[in-house]
Every structure is written in C-alpha cells, then in structure tokens.
Amino acid sequence: MVPIALNDDRLKFLFKSASLIQIGMGQKESMSPPPPFDSDPFDCLKRNFTEDELEKCFRHFDSSNQGTWSHDDFRRFLSELFSNKRRPYLLLTELVEQYFQETDFNQDNRIDFNEFQQAWKETLKTTLKPVSALVIVDVQNDFISGSLALHSCPANHQGEEVVPIINRVLTNVRFDVVAYTYDWHPHNHISFYENRYLRPTAPESKINAADAKLLDSVIFVGPPKVEQVLWPAHCVQHTRGADLHKDLILVSNAIHVFKGANPNVDSYSAFWDNMKLAKTSLDDQLRERNVTDVYVVGLATDVCVAATAMHSIENNYRTILIEDACRGVDEKEIEVKRLELNRHGCIFVESTVVPGMVDGIDRRPELTRNMFEENLKKIRL
C-alpha cells in the first residue's frame, strides 16, 4: 500500500467530522452524527502510559479476549481515539486499513499487544495529553496603528481586532507554553523601502531599487543575494512601533523571540530567517519544554504568521492556526498561504474549539498522520 503523504490532495477526503462530510472546496453535506460513547476507554491510561495501563487499554478493544485485535477491534480503537467529547470523528476505510497495515508489523492480519505498544504509545501520549504552545506573532504597534498598519494594506484588516481574541485564548486555555515574537529591525534593515539605495541591485532583478515602489520585490546583490519585499520602515529596535500592543495580556515566564535583527536578511518566521542562515531560540526552547503542538496567532496572516506556521510543520510540531486570531496584508495571498499550509498538514480552527483540543478532549485525526509516520521511521531504524 502506498503511504499517503500530508501533501497528497486525497488527504482532505480522509478525515470527516462526525457532523459534516467534506465533499469539495466549500461544499459540505449534513449527516446524522454517531451516538457518543458511554465512557472514554482511554481514561484507564491515567495519563501515565505505563505498560500495565496500556495493556488494560488494549484489552478494552480485544473483543475475542485472545490477546489480539481484529480489523473490527482496530477500527473501534481508532473511532474512540479520534473523537470530540466522546463523539467519534468518521474515518474513511482507506485510512483505517492503512493504519492497520502499518501497525501489523508481522503481517499476520492481527495486531498483538507488542505491535500496539510499539506503534501507538507515543502517538497516544501526544493525542491524549498534548504539550501545547501558543505562539503570538508580532502583535506590535507598527502593524496596528503605525507605519505598516494593516488597515492601510490591500486587505484593509484591522490589526487591533486580534488583541481581545488572543486575550480570551490566553485566559481560557491552559497552554503549557506561551511565546511572543517581535520584528526587531535595525535602522538600516534591508526590508525598509527607505533603505533601497543602500545596497546594489542584482542584474537579474526585474525591478531596479531606484524605480521600486512600496511592496515591490527587489533582488539585492548581497552578500547574501536575496529577493526582498520593500516595506515601510517598521518595528525599529527600541521604538514604540516595536512594542507589543498595550492591551495584549503578557504572561509571566513566557518566551520572547526577537527576529529580523540582521540588517541584511529579513526574518518573517519566528524559527528561521528568510534565507535559513540563522535560527532563533524558539525551537530549542519549545523542545526543552517537550512541546508537541504549536498554535499560531497574530500578524500578519500571509507573512510572518504563515512563515512561522510552515517552519513549525518543518520542525515536526503538530501545527494549528487560529484563524479568527489573525489578520493579514492581502486577501489573495492569505488564501495562497492557507492552501499551502493545508497541503503540508497545518489545520485551521476558530478560537472557540481550542480549549478542547489543548485538553486532549477534541482529538482530531488530521493532526496525527505526520506524527504516526515519524514514529514508524524511528521504530524501523
């Protein structure tokens, strides 16, 4: 059986919610949801995931009491694992069969406890007890009311609208880690339109810096040679424009990430600069805290938020973008970035569903595929 990669176009058909089936882009068909379970069989794990607890969980689904699972047993296991408030998500037979074949290491058409424990222990841990980080991207004055205010950009978004939504998320959701990121540019930064004369333009650049307009892209000779969008000067270090919005809640013991300090390379992502020449401390700090899930919010959706989410995926975090807590620059680019992130495994949610996901109550199958495949790779090494 050919593995289904997360960038496979078929993936959007592999996961169906209990109340909606996705038929195609923007089309949904109602159906009657399955009844909820009487109890959660995974409560027996007590979140410690000892071998005894895993064995008790395994026995719960062993309908024959013979120490192995049939296809039907395995299907019931997946159905109860991937659920929301004990109401199951619907899974296509193709996906269930693929998971079965990948778990059945000895290919005897049954799954024994050792196979279950090897294949699913780490996945169960993350699914039932995720370690979640909220990464709040660039909620700074210049993007809200200053030199690069989003309301002056093509999408005409109001950047300040994210502040109360992010505050509600911070107040109502029990995140294990919170990180704030900052654009933190020197006065001579390469991204500033005002600095376009400071560096020679590369011959292959379609636009000469002298003729460029705001938001044009210019290729500079370097080093390093780089294609750069020209923005108004913004978020200059130690200025009010670089400060976080005054109403944004600041959590104690949070991570603070300052990016874009290299004058010659821009840095949209909170993980890497745009050339991947240097990384920030964010990934190391998240790994020190054993983070599994990264929730991304902030400004701007199609620039720094999207870049941060993409690098989060590349770093093998389960990545969730909270859409109502983001605002962007350009509607067309927002949609382009949304589709790109979706192809790579990012999921998009509204802030109201985040508490259940962080608490391991809303357990979405589309967050598991990448993680399961990575675990299998480790087993096979």
Side-chain angles (χ1 to χ4, degrees), residues 255-275:
I255 298 169
H256 294 267
V257 177
F258 297 86
K259 58 190 179 66
N262 183 340
N264 297 313
V265 181
D266 209 351
S267 185
Y268 293 163
S269 167
F271 290 94
W272 289 90
D273 66 44
N274 290 3
M275 299 288 289

Side-chain angles (χ1 to χ4, degrees), residues 35 41 43 84 110 120 145 185 187 192 243 261 274 297 311 378:
D43 286 345
N84 181 13
R110 304 283 295 186
W120 285 93
S145 57
H185 298 315
H187 286 278
F192 294 172
D243 291 342
N274 290 3
V297 299
H311 284 166
K378 294 176 184 176

Side-chain angles (χ1 to χ4, degrees), residues 132-136 166 169-170 175 177-180 295-297 322:
S132 300
L134 178 67
V135 178
I136 302 170
I166 294 172
V169 171
L170 285 168
F175 285 102
V177 180
V178 174
Y180 299 88
Y295 292 77
V296 187
V297 299
I322 306 176

Side-chain angles (χ1 to χ4, degrees), residues 165-310:
I165 299 170
I166 294 172
N167 285 346
R168 283 198 299 273
V169 171
L170 285 168
T171 302
N172 297 331
V173 184
R174 294 178 291 188
F175 285 102
D176 300 283
V177 180
V178 174
Y180 299 88
T181 81
Y182 304 73
D183 256 10
W184 195 247
H185 298 315
H187 286 278
N188 61 340
H189 196 255
I190 191 171
S191 72
F192 294 172
Y193 178 78
E194 295 83 349
N195 293 336
R196 64 193 183 280
Y197 300 111
L198 299 182
R199 298 166 179 84
T201 307
E204 63 267 32
S205 182
K206 294 180 181 179
I207 300 174
N208 189 284
D211 303 319
K213 299 176 183 178
L214 279 171
L215 305 187
D216 280 345
S217 291
V218 173
I219 300 175
F220 292 107
V221 170
K225 182 180 287 188
V226 62
E227 184 172 2
Q228 176 64 52
V229 176
L230 298 177
W231 306 95
H234 61 280
C235 299
V236 175
Q237 297 170 7
H238 307 294
T239 66
R240 180 185 175 279
D243 291 342
L244 298 178
H245 189 277
K246 63 181 178 60
D247 294 331
L248 183 66
I249 292 174
L250 292 180
V251 176
S252 60
N253 300 318
I255 298 169
H256 294 267
V257 177
F258 297 86
K259 58 190 179 66
N262 183 340
N264 297 313
V265 181
D266 209 351
S267 185
Y268 293 163
S269 167
F271 290 94
W272 289 90
D273 66 44
N274 290 3
M275 299 288 289
K276 278 197 170 181
L277 298 176
K279 63 184 294 188
T280 71
S281 65
L282 181 58
D283 183 46
D284 290 338
Q285 294 197 68
L286 295 181
R287 293 194 187 283
E288 286 174 6
R289 294 160 173 81
N290 299 312
V291 167
T292 60
D293 294 10
V294 170
Y295 292 77
V296 187
V297 299
L299 309 173
T301 311
D302 45 331
V303 188
C304 295
V305 169
T308 297
M310 184 60 73

Side-chain angles (χ1 to χ4, degrees), residues 15-22 28-31 90:
F15 306 112
K16 301 180 179 181
S17 77
S19 58
L20 296 170
I21 295 180
Q22 184 170 338
K28 293 178 179 178
E29 178 181 300
S30 296
M31 65 173 295
L90 298 182

